[in-house]
Amino acid sequence: MARARHEGRVWLGTVVAAAVATGLLRLAMWYVDDPSRTTSLESWQYVAWRAAGIHGLVALTYAIWPKKGPAGAAPASGKGVERERARR
């Protein structure tokens, strides 16, 4: 589940990036102020949100189907977990 949380945070960054890109593209469209010349800018907005959606689906798969550890592996001891927490 740690991987799913990580992917969720990375996906949120992608959503923020898509929102910033959309805002900048809207600003450029407003500056040009000619709908016949801004269709390509408008299409790039959809590309940004499509990428964010695909990334969201990939991140969701880590939560639905978490990666399993190797077969026969011993569970992690408490000492390793404490060292990892102290390291953060």
Side-chain angles (χ1 to χ4, degrees):
M1 288 310 289
R3 178 67 180 200
R5 282 190 301 277
H6 169 76
E7 290 297 328
R9 285 191 298 266
V10 172
W11 175 71
L12 286 176
T14 303
V15 169
V16 169
V20 168
T22 299
L24 290 173
L25 288 165
R26 287 281 177 183
L27 186 64
M29 289 167 56
W30 171 78
Y31 180 75
V32 172
D33 198 28
D34 182 7
S36 66
R37 294 174 47 199
T38 59
T39 56
S40 64
L41 295 175
E42 191 172 356
S43 69
W44 276 106
Q45 292 179 74
Y46 299 123
V47 170
W49 288 107
R50 190 178 314 129
I54 292 169
H55 189 181
L57 290 175
V58 170
L60 185 62
T61 62
Y62 284 99
I64 295 173
W65 298 290
K67 188 173 180 181
K68 295 179 179 143
S77 68
K79 291 180 182 178
V81 172
E82 291 301 321
R83 275 191 231 132
E84 182 66 24
R85 287 184 185 157
R87 203 170 65 163
R88 290 183 195 168

